Amino acid sequence: LTFPLLSVTFLVSFGSSMLYGYNLAVVNSPAAHIKAFYNATWSQRYGHGLASGSLTLLYSLTVSIFAVGGLVGSLLVGVLVERYGRKGTLSRSALLVLLAGGFMSFSRELGSPEMVIIGRSITGLHSGRCCRAVHGPFLMALLRGFLGLVPTIFICLGVFFAQVLGLPELLGEDRFWPLFLSVVVIPTSLQLLLLHCFPESPRYLLIERNDVCRATEALHRFLGTPDVQDVIEEMKEEQRSLSSVEMVSVWQLLRDRSVRWQTVSVVVVNAGMQLSGIDAIWFYTNTIFENAGIPVSEIPYTTVGTGAIEVVAGLIGCFTIEKLGRRPLIITGFCTMGICSAGITVSLLVQTDLPWMRYVSVVCVVGIIAGFCMGPAGVPFLMTAELFTQSHRPAAYVVGGSLNWFCNFTIGFIFPFLQMSAGAFCYLVFCGVCLLVALYVYIIIPETKNKTFMEISHIFT
C-alpha cells in the first residue's frame, strides 16, 4: 500500500462516502426548526398552518427524498462511467452538490420548502452516483477486505460530523439550519480540486479504454515503482477474459437457476441492512431519545456520543474482517441489533415505573449503531462481489444497490407514522428483521474469505 494509493482512496471516500453519511444524519438535529419553517411558510401562503399529519408527511418526504435521488443516481452511473470515466463521473457529480447546497442555503430567504426537498434529492443523486463509482476502481485487490470497508469508516465519520455540527454551540440554532444542510459543498469543493492531482483508474484506462500508456503512467503514480509490467499483464489477461464473457442483465440474473441462492442472499442481506432500523436511528435519533425521556438539553450531546462509538465500531470491523471473516461479523452485527431493538421496546414500556430505564434506551441505540458498523454496514457490498463471477457481478450490484436505496426511502418515510401508530412496539419490527437475516446468513451463506467463486458456488450447490 503506497501513499498515493491510500491518498486517492481516502480522497474519494472523503468526498462521497462521508457526504453520504453526513446527509443521512444532517436532518436529525434541525428537524424541529425545519418543521417550524414549513409551518410558517404554509401560513404565509394560505393563511393557516399545516395539520400535524400533513407536517409529518412533508418532513418525512424531505428526509426520504434523498434515497429517491440515490436510486436514480445508482442506475445512471454505468452510463456516466462509460462516457466520462471514474474520475470524470466523480468530478461531474461534485458539481451537483454545489447546486444542491445553493438550493438549501437560500431556501429560507426565498421562503421555499420546495428548495429544501429539491436540494436533498440532488444530494441523493450525487451519493447514488459516487457510492457506485467508488467501489473497486480506485481500490486495489490487495487487502480487499480492509480497503473495502474504508468507505464504511467515512460514512460513520460523516454521521459523526453531522452530529457535532448540530450541537447548539455550533450550527444547531434555528438561524443556522440552512447553512447546516449546505455544509456539504466544502468537502465536495476540496475533492473537486484535489482529484485533478491524481490520474484516472488504471483498470478503467486499460480494460475499458485500452490505453496502455496512460494506464502504465497511472500505475507508476499509484504503486510508486517503475516496474509495473506484471500488473499490466494481469490487467490484459482480465481484459481478454472479459471480452469473451457476455454480461448478464438483471432479468437474466433473476432467472438464472445456477446462481439463485446467491441472488436470494444478495436480496436478503441488502434489504435487511436497511430494514434493520439503522436508518431510523440516523434520521430520527433526537426524536427517539426524546420519546425515551432523555432531557432535551442532554439529547445533542448524547447523540454525539453515539456517533463517536459508531466510528470506533467501524474501525474495529475494518481491522478485524480479514482475521474473523465475513460471516461472524455480519451474524454478530445483526444479532446485536435485534437484541438492542427489543431492548428499546422493553425500556420504553417500563420507564414510567423505572426512570433509569431511559438510559438503557441510549445503551441500546449505541448497541444498534455499533453492531451495524462492525458488520452489516460494509460486508454486504463485499459479499455481493464475492458471490458472483464477473459476468453476473454488475447485475448483482444493480439489484443490491436498488434494494438499498428503496428500503432506505421506505424506512425514512414510514418510520414517523410507524412510531405514532405502534409506539414502543415499532422497534420489534426491526428486531424481527435483524434476527431473521442473521438466521438466514447462519444457515445459507458460506464464508467467502479466501475462497474462489467455484468453491463458493459448490458450497451453495
Side-chain angles (χ1 to χ4, degrees):
L1 290 176
T2 62
F3 179 74
L5 179 58
L6 284 174
S7 298
V8 76
T9 300
F10 284 103
L11 174 63
V12 173
S13 298
F14 175 76
S16 54
S17 298
M18 195 179 80
L19 288 192
Y20 170 70
Y22 184 89
N23 283 302
L24 285 176
V26 71
V27 288
N28 172 52
S29 176
H33 306 317
I34 296 174
K35 288 179 180 179
F37 164 66
Y38 285 178
N39 202 36
T41 304
W42 197 269
S43 296
Q44 292 174 359
R45 289 182 182 179
Y46 304 106
H48 60 85
L50 281 162
S52 176
S54 300
L55 183 59
T56 301
L57 180 65
L58 188 58
Y59 182 72
S60 297
L61 178 63
T62 304
V63 171
S64 58
I65 198 70
F66 172 74
V68 176
L71 176 59
V72 174
S74 67
L75 295 176
L76 291 176
V77 72
V79 177
L80 294 170
V81 168
E82 184 177 350
R83 183 171 182 178
Y84 300 113
R86 303 286 181 177
K87 181 178 167 183
T89 300
L90 290 172
S91 298
R92 285 165 174 79
S93 297
L95 297 175
L96 289 175
V97 178
L98 303 183
L99 177 64
F103 271 106
M104 293 185 290
S105 61
F106 291 105
S107 58
R108 186 168 62 178
E109 296 297 325
L110 299 177
S112 175
E114 296 85 356
M115 292 177 68
V116 181
I117 296 173
I118 292 171
R120 286 279 295 170
S121 65
I122 295 175
T123 56
L125 189 65
H126 165 268
S127 291
R129 286 182 178 186
C130 291
C131 285
R132 281 283 305 280
V134 76
H135 283 291
F138 291 104
L139 307 183
M140 305 298 284
L142 182 64
L143 294 179
R144 66 185 182 183
F146 172 79
L147 289 180
L149 289 188
V150 166
T152 301
I153 301 300
F154 277 86
I155 291 174
C156 296
L157 285 172
V159 171
F160 178 64
F161 287 148
Q163 293 166 339
V164 171
L165 290 178
L167 291 174
E169 294 83 356
L170 297 175
L171 301 180
E173 295 184 10
D174 178 54
R175 59 196 176 107
F176 289 135
W177 69 259
L179 176 62
F180 187 26
L181 295 182
S182 57
V183 161
V184 290
V185 303
I186 297 175
T188 303
S189 301
L190 184 61
Q191 184 196 53
L192 194 60
L193 292 173
L194 295 180
L195 267 178
H196 295 290
C197 301
F198 295 94
E200 178 59 270
S201 163
R203 291 186 181 275
Y204 171 80
L205 291 172
L206 194 148
I207 295 174
E208 300 187 42
R209 285 289 181 252
N210 202 29
D211 192 337
V212 179
C213 182
R214 289 178 62 198
T216 304
E217 293 175 0
L219 284 171
H220 287 319
R221 289 280 306 277
F222 283 130
L223 300 181
T225 175
D227 184 14
V228 295
Q229 194 57 38
D230 290 343
V231 183
I232 291 292
E233 291 301 322
E234 179 187 336
M235 289 183 183
K236 286 183 177 179
E237 180 62 31
E238 183 179 350
Q239 184 187 41
R240 286 190 290 269
S241 66
L242 288 175
S243 63
S244 62
V245 173
E246 182 180 353
M247 292 300 175
V248 172
S249 68
V250 172
W251 179 242
Q252 289 172 322
L253 174 70
L254 296 177
R255 296 183 62 188
D256 191 342
R257 293 190 176 188
S258 66
V259 292
R260 175 164 297 175
W261 280 107
Q262 289 93 319
T263 305
V264 172
S265 298
V266 166
V267 170
V268 170
V269 173
N270 281 276
M273 178 173 65
Q274 298 296 339
L275 298 178
S276 64
I278 189 63
D279 288 320
I281 298 294
W282 279 336
F283 287 145
Y284 303 105
T285 309
N286 285 16
T287 303
I288 292 171
F289 285 156
E290 185 177 347
N291 291 337
I294 303 298
V296 175
S297 60
E298 296 178 9
I299 288 178
Y301 308 98
T302 307
T303 301
V304 170
T306 64
I309 294 172
E310 179 178 350
V311 175
V312 174
L315 287 170
I316 292 173
C318 191
F319 286 102
T320 58
I321 185 169
E322 288 303 327
K323 292 184 178 180
L324 299 178
R326 282 64 162 148
R327 287 181 81 248
L329 285 179
I330 198 167
I331 292 173
T332 303
F334 274 117
C335 286
T336 301
M337 296 176 73
I339 293 170
C340 289
S341 295
I344 293 179
T345 296
V346 173
S347 63
L348 291 177
L349 291 175
V350 302
Q351 69 179 16
T352 304
D353 300 321
L354 302 172
W356 56 269
M357 288 295 289
R358 69 185 62 174
Y359 298 104
V360 174
S361 297
V362 176
V363 173
C364 289
V365 169
V366 171
I368 291 173
I369 293 173
F372 179 78
C373 292
M374 280 194 292
V379 173
F381 296 106
L382 294 176
M383 294 181 74
T384 301
E386 294 171 342
L387 292 179
F388 294 92
T389 58
Q390 182 59 39
S391 61
H392 291 69
R393 196 171 294 140
Y397 267 120
V398 170
V399 171
S402 299
L403 275 171
N404 262 286
W405 286 112
F406 177 75
C407 294
N408 184 301
F409 168 80
T410 301
I411 294 299
F413 189 77
I414 71 169
F415 178 73
F417 300 99
L418 181 64
Q419 197 174 36
M420 285 190 294
S421 60
F425 295 100
C426 68
Y427 300 98
L428 293 181
V429 176
F430 303 136
C431 172
V433 170
C434 291
L435 296 181
L436 287 174
V437 173
L439 182 63
Y440 178 89
V441 174
Y442 179 77
I443 296 174
I444 301 296
I445 301 180
E447 177 57 64
T448 58
K449 185 183 75 170
N450 298 329
K451 286 186 174 67
T452 65
F453 171 78
M454 295 308 298
E455 291 172 333
I456 296 170
S457 179
H458 179 69
I459 294 173
F460 271 109
T461 303

